[in-house]
Amino acid sequence: MEIAASILSADFMDLRQSLKQVDSADFLHVDVMDGHFVPNLTFGPCVLQNLSQYTNTPLDIHLMVDNPTFGIELFKELKPAYITIHLESTPHLHKIIHHIKNLGFKAGVSLNPATPLNGLEYIIADLDLVLFMSVNPGFGGQKFLPLVLDKIAHFKQKFPTYSGKIEVDGGINAKNALLLASYGANLLVVGSYLFNHENPTLALQELKRA
Ligand code: DX5
Ligand code: ZN
């Protein structure tokens, strides 16, 4: 199992120390929120522009914004491994996914909990990652919604040849990580469970074994 540590739950007044705590994560998950698509605001590129001086962990950028094209422009300088946009945020999914890929990054699409799989059919072959939200996006520390398990099972039935990442985000802990692994998830976003843990390094090791 690969783990993306969500810096939404980090200590923003001591980000450097927070980054050290999750040094062994496979990715740093960066939640970009605009106050419109979700009722919360997070960080802009100014806050994160020097991130690469303090960590070598590849970035997994999750754009929860109404204008994903603008978000991509803002964050492309960070040279992330993945940029993921929401299916609900744009009628121009094909164009934007190919824009991300042309910039040299891997591209993902995220689905809110109630969003059906319809709409992925004609883009699935181009995707490197599908991100299933297991909470309503906007905040860390929410309760895991088990409906995502059924959704992943349907996804695997519907797209049996899909070979990209199956990422899940929201309310993940050591217990439901095992369940998600058994359903075929292979990249888990973990925020509050990690940063609230007395030993984040140990917690990461345990999650990776899932
Ligand atoms: C929620 C974000 C998540 C959040 C997960 O909108 O997309 O990435 O940081 O945090 P936890 O693990 O606390 O649910
Ligand atoms: Zn996220």
Side-chain angles (χ1 to χ4, degrees), residues 90-167:
T90 177
H92 303 295
L93 205 55
H94 185 272
K95 188 166 90 177
I96 301 178
I97 287 297
H98 283 272
H99 178 54
I100 295 171
K101 292 175 83 111
N102 289 338
L103 289 169
F105 313 131
K106 291 182 175 160
V109 165
S110 180
L111 307 180
N112 280 339
T115 302
L117 300 172
N118 310 336
L120 289 179
E121 286 91 334
Y122 296 101
I123 194 69
I124 193 75
D126 303 334
L127 296 181
D128 300 297
L129 178 150
V130 177
L131 169 54
F132 294 91
M133 290 307 301
S134 43
V135 296
N136 285 294
F139 302 92
Q142 301 182 79
K143 201 167 174 287
F144 177 78
L145 296 169
L147 62 81
V148 76
L149 298 169
D150 187 47
K151 201 167 173 181
I152 296 170
H154 275 130
F155 175 83
K156 288 188 72 91
Q157 267 171 16
K158 199 171 159 81
F159 304 112
T161 59
Y162 172 77
S163 60
K165 289 278 171 204
I166 297 182
E167 182 175 36

Side-chain angles (χ1 to χ4, degrees), residues 6 8-9 29 31 33 62 64 133 135-142 169-172 189-193:
S6 177
L8 184 63
S9 297
H29 184 82
D31 286 308
M33 305 184 187
H62 178 192
M64 284 160 278
M133 290 307 301
V135 296
N136 285 294
F139 302 92
Q142 301 182 79
D169 184 2
I172 295 175
V189 179
V190 190
S192 51
Y193 177 74

